[in-house]
Amino acid sequence: MKKIVILGSTGSIGTNTLDIVDRFPGEFQIVGLTAGANDEKLEEQIRRYKPTVVALSNASAAAKLRDRCRDLSTEILSGTDGVAEVAQVPDAELVISAIVGGAGLVPTLAAIRSGKHVALANKEPMVMAGKLMQEEARKHGVRIFPVDSEHSAIFQSLEGHRREDVRRLILTASGGPLWDFSREQLQGVKPERALQHPNWKMGAKITIDSATLMNKGLEVVEARWLFDIAASRIDVLIHRESIIHSLVEYEDRSIIAQLGLPDMRTPISYAMRYPERMPLDLPSLDLAAIGKLTFFTPDHDRFPCLNLGYEALRIGGTMPAALNAANEVAVEAYLQEGIRFTDIAEVIRSTMEAHTPREIESIDDALEADRWAREKAEALVHALAR
Ligand SMILES: NC(=O)c1ccc[n+]([C@@H]2O[C@H](COP(=O)([O-])OP(=O)(O)OC[C@H]3O[C@@H](n4cnc5c(N)ncnc54)[C@H](OP(=O)(O)O)[C@@H]3O)[C@@H](O)[C@H]2O)c1
């Protein structure tokens, strides 16, 4: 049995991963699970999967969990250190990295440094410190398998081809739930509307990122480091139906793409049993029933966040970490209805303008930029607060 750890087991990716584990009894053994503060859901998971060790980053939620799980032998840790410890549990082979946000950087890096292969859904650490993560993965002889559907599609479209023949990567984007909104409509849009994604059911933060197109900005940075390719060779194409998950163009102008219904269990399972495919009992893609696929170029005026992602990558060093932190603060403020939808891009832009980037030589450089940018973005949010 393949022993696995799931970081962020109570979230959307985490529960989809457990769905795959359930579908293939005897193939995977859960040895570690982590979450933020959802002690009730983690308790259910502990009782069902009997991991050796779990952690909640929230200390008081962990104390409640310990109280309720006295009858069990699972060790319950807490705090950021506890989550990072679960990521290194000695007998795990594969760590599913599915925490949301920069909080995943320390545990994901800890998993890599302790010699675990990583199935990476949590894109923010790659944005904050992608070069460092890849260097550490090489040093420790581990692989980082993409889980993000676009990066999994590129990974699959690169298989069996020569890297020297790649001309460009084309990341597809659904355009999110507000694609047709005018600038005025975007200003007044409420979180409950922005959270209604047309194709994907995901956590709140990535759904708002999808609505602003920052998700695609983050994915451009992620692709740069996952596939070691210059930003100038990464394009973005709006594809409303989310059927073509991304494409690779080769030097002879052939394009290889990966298609499928929008269901994260397909890319998750590919990362879990690579290079074999798992026989998932899911509906087949019926292209005749879909009839038509549509494509557009992104509208950078209404959705400036995508270009902020390219800009952070062009500047380099700690700038992508600053962009990511500012985005997390701004999205949270928007979800709490403290700022307007269109303020999200302004908070990120102003934070980037105020940031003096430096090279990332260690994880501390990324964490320091993250801390600085959060403070700056919080001040900007405070000034904008209604
Ligand atoms: N959902 C998708 O379909 C999808 C697709 C592609 C990529 N991704 C990426 O995958 C990651 C997870 O997304 P998601 O949609 O699954 O998010 P989600 O549903 O919000 O779940 C996030 C998970 O992280 C945990 N968590 C939150 N804050 C934490 C902290 N400070 N420390 C430790 N754990 C913490 C949560 O625990 P609690 O439940 O206790 O809060 C939960 O288990 C994101 O980076 C996202 O961009 C997601």
Side-chain angles (χ1 to χ4, degrees):
M1 278 212 273
K2 191 184 250 184
K3 294 184 171 148
I4 65 170
V5 166
I6 307 175
L7 305 175
S9 63
T10 53
S12 164
I13 294 289
T15 50
N16 271 305
T17 306
L18 289 170
D19 178 87
I20 294 168
V21 169
D22 292 345
R23 285 163 181 258
F24 296 87
E27 176 157 356
F28 300 102
Q29 185 189 344
I30 305 287
V31 293
L33 297 172
T34 79
N38 194 341
D39 52 293
E40 287 181 11
K41 198 157 182 177
L42 191 57
E43 180 185 354
E44 280 169 30
Q45 294 179 347
I46 296 172
R47 293 192 181 278
R48 181 167 179 146
Y49 299 101
K50 306 186 173 39
T52 320
V53 57
V54 302
L56 280 166
S57 66
N58 181 299
S60 57
K64 274 198 270 172
L65 186 65
R66 261 185 223 114
D67 225 34
R68 288 207 309 274
C69 293
R70 282 206 198 129
D71 57 319
L72 302 174
S73 60
T74 298
E75 188 183 357
I76 298 172
L77 306 175
S78 68
T80 317
D81 291 349
V83 173
E85 210 174 313
V86 176
Q88 305 169 68
V89 57
D91 49 354
E93 290 164 60
L94 178 71
V95 172
I96 316 293
S97 167
I99 290 173
V100 61
L105 174 60
V106 169
T108 305
L109 203 54
I112 292 170
R113 286 178 171 157
S114 63
K116 323 280 185 214
H117 297 299
V118 169
L120 186 80
N122 184 197
K123 65 194 80 183
E124 293 89 348
M126 255 306 160
V127 172
M128 294 168 74
K131 184 163 174 261
L132 182 75
M133 282 178 61
Q134 289 293 32
E135 283 167 2
E136 291 291 317
R138 268 193 295 279
K139 193 160 123 194
H140 294 277
V142 303
R143 294 195 67 171
I144 301 176
F145 298 106
V147 167
D148 228 340
S149 58
E150 295 79 357
H151 302 74
S152 177
I154 287 173
F155 182 59
Q156 295 178 53
S157 302
L158 288 168
E159 287 279 284
H161 297 273
R162 288 171 10 117
R163 293 303 296 269
E164 311 86 285
D165 293 339
V166 172
R167 184 156 185 272
R168 63 182 173 131
L169 309 182
I170 306 165
L171 294 172
T172 53
S174 69
L178 311 177
W179 178 246
D180 301 330
F181 279 42
S182 66
R183 203 187 301 262
E184 293 66 38
Q185 284 175 309
L186 287 174
Q187 271 198 356
V189 68
K190 293 275 177 211
E192 60 264 29
R193 178 66 188 83
L195 285 168
Q196 287 165 22
H197 198 284
N199 307 335
W200 297 97
K201 202 170 170 301
M202 310 181 285
K205 193 256 176 185
I206 183 176
T207 308
I208 300 301
D209 286 348
S210 180
T212 59
L213 285 202
M214 180 44 88
N215 186 44
K216 219 44 57 178
L218 299 177
E219 286 180 7
V220 168
V221 185
E222 184 187 10
R224 190 264 172 268
W225 297 117
L226 274 177
F227 305 112
D228 191 21
I229 189 165
S232 57
R233 296 205 289 144
I234 307 172
D235 287 343
V236 171
L237 177 68
I238 304 292
H239 163 45
R240 292 295 285 152
E241 296 82 6
S242 302
I243 295 296
I244 300 181
H245 296 305
S246 278
L247 316 89
V248 177
E249 185 183 31
Y250 288 91
E251 290 293 2
D252 61 358
R253 276 35 174 191
S254 279
I255 288 186
I256 310 280
Q258 186 258 341
L259 284 73
L261 288 169
D263 190 320
M264 284 309 294
R265 288 172 295 187
T266 301
I268 295 170
S269 68
Y270 192 62
M272 287 174 83
R273 205 204 261 175
Y274 175 84
E276 287 174 32
R277 289 181 186 269
M278 298 172 86
L280 294 178
D281 183 17
L282 300 175
S284 283
L285 173 62
D286 182 348
L287 283 173
I290 291 171
K292 173 170 100 166
L293 298 177
T294 49
F295 306 95
F296 305 94
T297 48
D299 180 336
H300 296 289
D301 289 336
R302 281 181 303 134
F303 300 98
C305 286
L306 171 57
N307 269 344
L308 292 176
Y310 276 106
E311 180 65 3
L313 200 44
R314 187 189 63 71
I315 297 168
T318 50
M319 192 56 89
L323 162 127
N324 178 67
N327 181 51
E328 286 190 34
V329 169
V331 169
E332 187 53 33
Y334 172 65
L335 284 170
Q336 302 303 323
E337 301 202 41
I339 59 172
R340 293 176 304 184
F341 181 81
T342 43
D343 290 336
I344 297 175
E346 287 317 309
V347 169
I348 301 165
R349 189 196 311 281
S350 301
T351 305
M352 286 173 66
E353 277 167 9
H355 185 60
T356 308
R358 47 184 287 190
E359 281 310 309
I360 293 190
E361 272 148 24
S362 74
I363 187 172
D364 289 340
D365 296 324
L367 293 173
E368 172 52 23
D370 177 85
R371 190 203 55 74
W372 177 90
R374 277 174 203 273
E375 213 172 282
K376 177 74 192 167
E378 270 155 20
L380 291 163
V381 161
H382 190 69
L384 285 167
R386 289 169 298 150

